[in-house]
Structures are given as C-alpha cells and as structure tokens.
Amino acid sequence: MSRNGAPPDAREQEAELIRQVRAGRRESFRPLVERHWPRIKGLARRILRGPDLVEDICQETFLRAFEKLASFDNTREFAPWLAKIAVNLIGEHFRKGGQRLQLVPLDERVFPRAVPEPGEEVIGRMLLDDCLERLPVAYRIIFVLRHGLMFSYEEIAQVLDEPLGTVKVSLFRAREILKVFWAAVPTELAREGVK
Amino acid sequence: MKERTCHERLDFQAYVDQQLSGPEQTAVERHVRECPACARELERTRLFFTDLQVACAVGRGDLPTPAEIDGVMARLARSHPVPDSAATATAPWAAWMTGWGFEGWRAATVGAALGLLLLMVWAVRSPGPLPRPATPPAVSTPAPADLFAFTLSAPPSQALGVVGKPGAKMATRGHLQSGTVYQLPSVGKLYVTFKGENRLELSKQARFEVAGTRVRLHTGDVWCRLQRTGRDIVVETPTGTVTPLGTRFYVEATPRATRVTLEEGQVILRTRTTTVSLKRPGTLFMLTDGTITTEFETRDVAVQIPNSHLPDPRTLERPPQADSLQDGY
C-alpha cells in the first residue's frame, strides 16, 4: 500500500509483489513477468535472430531474476535491473560466438556499400531499421534502451556497466551517423517523385 | 544534405532528448525563432527522433501470450519447487504447543480440537454465513472481456494523465474507464487491447476517451489492428468517424484534419456531409468542412515555426511504416 493511503502506484505495486515473492509466494511473480515481458522481448528481438532464441532469452531472464530477487534493492527501479540481466544473457550468447559487447568508436564506415544508395526502392524508415541492424550489438542495445524502453542515460550506464560519459558520447555519435542516412533518402525520393 | 549555414553550435539532439538545462533550452528556442536554417535542423532532428522511437519501440508483437507467461511460470515451478522447509516451518502456534508439552500427533490433535471448539463457539454466536477467507490485496484486476485494457510504455517519470484531474496519475496497466478523457505523456505509447485479440496503439500525446465500443480521439494518433470481434469499434475524431470492417488502419487526428491510412481490409469514413468507403490501401483526409480528400498539406507540426522554415513537406507527410514494428527477426 502507498504511504498516504492512496491507491498504490505501479512502482509500489511492483515492490509489494517483489516482497511477496521473497516471502515465498511464487505466483506473485506472474504479474511481474506479464508487466515486463514486452520490454525484455522488445530488447531481445532487436538484438538476436530467431524467435526461439528470443523466447529462450526472455524466459531465462525471468528465471534468473527470480533466482536473484533476494539481491534486488527494492528501493530502486526493477526494469533496469531486469534489463541488465537480459543484456548479460545476450552478452553471454555473443561471447559464445567469440563476440564482445563493446561500445567501440563508430564512424561512417559502419555502413559500407551494403546500404542502398538513395533512389533505390528504399524509404526512410526502412533504411533506418536497416542502419540500426548494421550497428554493433552494444549500440543496438543502447538505442533500444534509450528510444524503445525509454531508460535514462544513468540507467543505461548502469545496465551496460559503462561510464555515463561514454554512453552519452556513443549515443550522440551514433545518432549523428544514422541521421545522415535517414535525412538523405526521403528528400531524394521526393525530388524524383517516388511515391 | 548539408543545408545549414548558421555557425551557431547548438546541440539539437540534447534539446530534443530533453537533456538541456532550462537556460540552455531557452537559448535554443530563442535562436530557432530567428534562424530558419536552425529551425529546419531542429525539426529534422525531432522527426529523426520520432522515427528512432518507432524503429526501437516495444511493438504489439512483443506483448506476451498467456502461453509464454505460463511457460515461464512452469519452468519456475520445475526449477524452484516450493521447499519442504516452507511447508514444515515451525509456526508460532506449533512453538506454543511445544511449550505446553504437546508435540507430534498430540499437538495436531489438540490443535484440531481447539479449532473445532472455536468454530462451534463462533457458529453459536454468529447468525450470519461463514466469512469468506480474506483475499490478498489485488494487484491486477481481472479483465472483463469487453473492456479496453491498456499498458503504457513510457519512462518511469511519465504517466497516463486524466484530463481535468491534474494530480491524477494512472498505473502503467489497467482498464480504460468509459467517459474519462485520457492524455498520453509527452513520451511514450499506449497499447490497448479490446476483447483480448484486437490491438490499438496510441501515441503522439494522444488525448482520447472510450465510450462503449467507441474510441474518441481528440488529438494524436491511433493504430488499429482488428479481428472479427473488433468490428464494432468506431474511431471518432473531431472531423468525422472511421468504421472498420475487419481491418488494419491508422488514424491521426489534428485540429484541422483527420488522416486515415488503410493498410488492410476496409473502412468507412463519415463526416457531417460525406461518407466514403476506403476499400484499398491508401490515405484519405477528413477535413473540418466535411470534405474527404486525398490531398492535404499539414501545417500541424510539433513546433510552431514560420512555414518558410519547414523542411520538405514530403518528409512531414511520410505515412507511418507500421510494418517496421512487426518483426525484428
């Protein structure tokens, strides 16, 4: 219940559910899964390929969260804590394939010839999706955390275990590069009268 | 496309991303009022962020199915069965019995006898029926099948507002009440389900209400994907109504016009003077004077800047690429 007797808000509901799970009521974990599944799946499916793998990571995230719930600081936000578990699992998946999640410096070469030239049958948003797909994994995660899950910069830094400054600079630079490609196509298509 | 000629170094990304302090924000706003090049750049940055948000947004494909939730809970049940210690933990009453010298089966017998005695005393004194056991505090109310259930996807600081109740702060999940006008926060989307299988997505700070099966969209936009059970939904805007006939469509309401983009199926557009059936994928506009047209040049952009400052209209007019949300595989 809330402190002043008003209907409990979402965060207090969540804290109460977590307390109940810790006290042994496993079924109280169900509303937490229902509430956070879309965000975890939204993150996973933009990073991983294949619905089975995405589903596995989602399930594993919640299982691990359940196991580690005792270590969760109930005064903090649950969503970034959960996202960090998901990101760690995604990182483990890529490490198995010899890749590491790192915010490496980006430049325009991240989009080599694979990006279609303006004038081909491409419209702006498809190109943006395409560009996001080509970003290194850590950048894709950062974009989804910021623009999809609406995490603050501080929360993203916490999820990725990176300094706040690195997160800000990386996101700024990546956006600038993406924006160049995003801005170019629609205008060119409009000039050519492409519908 | 480097059009900017102004040499002022302003961080439009930080401005749109709400990372600037008050004075810095004011400085940007003051400058773009005077500088057409920077006003265009700011508008482009804003559109870019909107597109980024759509490209990265949690989509309807991310909503869980009951089977997925059950799958997690089943795995939990297998990997973490209720420990025996929880079932056999020493309860306070057991400790009390032990203190009186009753242990094992004796304790159980005495406990049962005491319980029976208390029940009989209560039954004699109370004429009413047996009380129901106290239910634990409900965290989520069960969803009646005919209600609009919603989930808000927004930063923790943002909440679904109720127009006329400035302090009211809705939970991130729940059910929409008929007759209440809701306002989406500046950032975020509202995912609404109707009868379980019909999906609506509201965004662009939509202001709306539901009444029966009608969705009254005052401003903002709504994307609808309806099944057979959702055909009784009608979307009303200030300029007209949209009646679906089993379909996938998008409605954007602005003060001057309503844009309806049909992706699949059929919709009927009705204004006070005209009725049009849109049977093929395409876009129509319902205008305030009652006409329905294929051409409309919007000036309702997020920042009110002189028309000469606006970027190419096609950039603003680009219809939503809703399919970009559909699959990320």
Side-chain angles (χ1 to χ4, degrees), chain A residues 13-14 16-17 20 31 35, chain B residues 136-141:
Chain A
Q13 278 186 1
E14 212 160 73
E16 175 57 27
L17 288 169
Q20 289 177 9
R35 183 174 295 175
Chain B
V139 173
S140 57
T141 40

Side-chain angles (χ1 to χ4, degrees), chain A:
Chain A
M1 290 294 287
S2 66
R3 283 177 289 275
N4 54 11
D9 66 13
R11 188 168 170 181
E12 285 183 0
Q13 278 186 1
E14 212 160 73
E16 175 57 27
L17 288 169
I18 290 166
R19 275 192 287 274
Q20 289 177 9
V21 176
R22 283 172 170 171
R25 283 191 58 184
R26 191 174 54 208
E27 200 51 33
S28 295
F29 197 63
R30 181 184 289 270
L32 290 170
V33 180
E34 288 171 348
R35 183 174 295 175
H36 291 279
W37 179 280
R39 294 174 136 208
I40 297 302
K41 188 174 177 187
L43 171 67
R45 80 182 177 95
R46 281 180 178 77
I47 311 300
L48 302 164
R49 292 195 175 274
D52 292 342
L53 181 56
V54 170
E55 172 110 16
D56 278 354
I57 291 288
C58 290
Q59 287 207 358
E60 204 58 47
T61 299
F62 286 103
L63 288 177
R64 204 171 276 192
F66 183 86
E67 286 162 3
K68 292 176 179 285
L69 208 56
S71 67
F72 172 65
D73 176 359
N74 216 356
T75 60
R76 306 186 74 170
E77 291 285 345
F78 185 61
W81 183 77
L82 195 62
K84 184 167 187 169
I85 293 176
V87 167
N88 286 342
L89 285 167
I90 291 169
E92 281 173 25
H93 169 77
F94 280 101
R95 268 194 296 280
K96 282 180 203 162
Q99 265 184 284
R100 292 184 65 193
L101 298 189
Q102 268 187 317
L103 288 169
V104 291
L106 279 185
D107 61 28
E108 284 80 356
R109 283 171 293 178
V110 75
F111 307 120
R113 300 296 303 166
V115 172
E117 291 294 326
E120 293 187 20
E121 287 186 6
V122 171
I123 53 174
R125 192 160 291 149
M126 284 174 64
L127 185 75
L128 187 60
D129 287 344
D130 190 46
C131 290
L132 284 168
E133 282 273 304
R134 288 169 206 283
L135 284 172
V137 176
Y139 279 89
R140 265 186 281 160
I141 290 176
I142 219 173
F143 269 104
V144 178
L145 291 177
R146 179 65 188 152
H147 295 288
L149 275 54
M150 317 287 183
F151 283 175
S152 68
Y153 286 101
E154 288 78 9
E155 287 170 335
I156 295 171
Q158 180 196 329
V159 170
L160 292 179
D161 270 336
E162 293 278 1
L164 181 61
T166 306
V167 169
K168 282 185 176 176
V169 169
S170 304
L171 201 45
F172 177 85
R173 179 77 182 129
R175 279 198 206 117
E176 284 295 306
I177 293 171
L178 280 180
K179 200 170 145 195
V180 170
F181 287 89
W182 173 87
V185 174
T187 309
E188 292 296 325
L189 288 175
R191 268 183 215 141
E192 293 168 19
V194 178
K195 297 280 178 186

Side-chain angles (χ1 to χ4, degrees), chain B residues 144-225:
Chain B
D146 59 345
L147 279 188
F148 291 90
F150 72 85
T151 303
L152 179 71
S153 172
S157 58
Q158 309 272 321
L160 183 63
V162 176
V163 175
K165 293 183 183 173
K169 203 176 171 187
M170 302 280 294
T172 50
R173 298 186 70 181
H175 294 94
L176 299 173
Q177 301 300 314
S178 201
T180 302
V181 182
Y182 298 96
Q183 171 81 58
L184 252 69
S186 56
V187 180
K189 278 189 168 191
L190 194 74
Y191 298 97
V192 177
T193 56
F194 177 74
K195 292 183 180 173
E197 59 179 1
N198 303 286
R199 301 286 168 84
L200 292 86
E201 283 179 23
L202 291 124
S203 53
K204 286 196 186 165
Q205 290 181 263
R207 178 178 284 215
F208 70 100
E209 62 185 302
V210 294
T213 60
R214 304 178 93 78
V215 177
R216 293 195 181 121
L217 184 65
H218 299 217
T219 56
D221 66 28
V222 58
W223 196 96
C224 306
R225 184 174 194 170

Side-chain angles (χ1 to χ4, degrees), chain B residues 37-281:
Chain B
C38 287
R40 276 195 294 273
E41 184 59 24
L42 173 60
E43 196 51 33
R44 272 193 212 102
T45 306
R46 197 186 292 278
L47 287 166
F48 173 64
F49 268 68
T50 304
D51 272 9
L52 261 183
Q53 197 177 333
V54 171
C56 298
V58 175
R60 57 191 176 281
D62 300 323
L63 294 174
T65 62
E68 286 172 329
I69 303 297
D70 288 345
V72 174
M73 296 309 289
R75 278 189 69 181
L76 270 182
R78 281 197 301 275
S79 58
H80 300 279
V82 178
D84 291 343
S85 58
T88 58
T90 308
W93 67 269
W96 181 79
M97 293 286 235
T98 309
W100 283 89
F102 298 112
E103 289 186 61
W105 66 270
R106 287 197 188 97
T109 310
V110 171
L114 276 174
L116 196 62
L117 188 66
L118 283 171
L119 195 65
M120 285 169 66
V121 168
W122 180 87
V124 168
R125 291 172 62 100
S126 167
L130 282 173
R132 286 163 179 252
T135 49
V139 173
S140 57
T141 40
D146 59 345
L147 279 188
F148 291 90
F150 72 85
T151 303
L152 179 71
S153 172
S157 58
Q158 309 272 321
L160 183 63
V162 176
V163 175
K165 293 183 183 173
K169 203 176 171 187
M170 302 280 294
T172 50
R173 298 186 70 181
H175 294 94
L176 299 173
Q177 301 300 314
S178 201
T180 302
V181 182
Y182 298 96
Q183 171 81 58
L184 252 69
S186 56
V187 180
K189 278 189 168 191
L190 194 74
Y191 298 97
V192 177
T193 56
F194 177 74
K195 292 183 180 173
E197 59 179 1
N198 303 286
R199 301 286 168 84
L200 292 86
E201 283 179 23
L202 291 124
S203 53
K204 286 196 186 165
Q205 290 181 263
R207 178 178 284 215
F208 70 100
E209 62 185 302
V210 294
T213 60
R214 304 178 93 78
V215 177
R216 293 195 181 121
L217 184 65
H218 299 217
T219 56
D221 66 28
V222 58
W223 196 96
C224 306
R225 184 174 194 170
L226 307 179
Q227 307 296 329
R228 188 176 290 272
T229 56
R231 289 186 187 179
D232 45 352
I233 285 182
V234 175
V235 179
E236 294 180 351
T237 69
T239 45
T241 63
V242 183
T243 306
L245 300 172
T247 200
R248 212 166 69 187
F249 64 99
Y250 167 91
V251 181
E252 181 183 22
T254 65
R256 294 180 55 226
T258 297
R259 177 172 69 181
V260 181
T261 300
L262 178 69
E263 291 189 0
E264 191 181 276
Q266 185 180 345
V267 288
I268 297 170
L269 280 60
R270 193 173 284 124
T271 66
R272 57 191 164 82
T273 58
T274 318
T275 299
V276 167
S277 175
L278 182 56
K279 295 180 177 174
R280 291 181 187 162

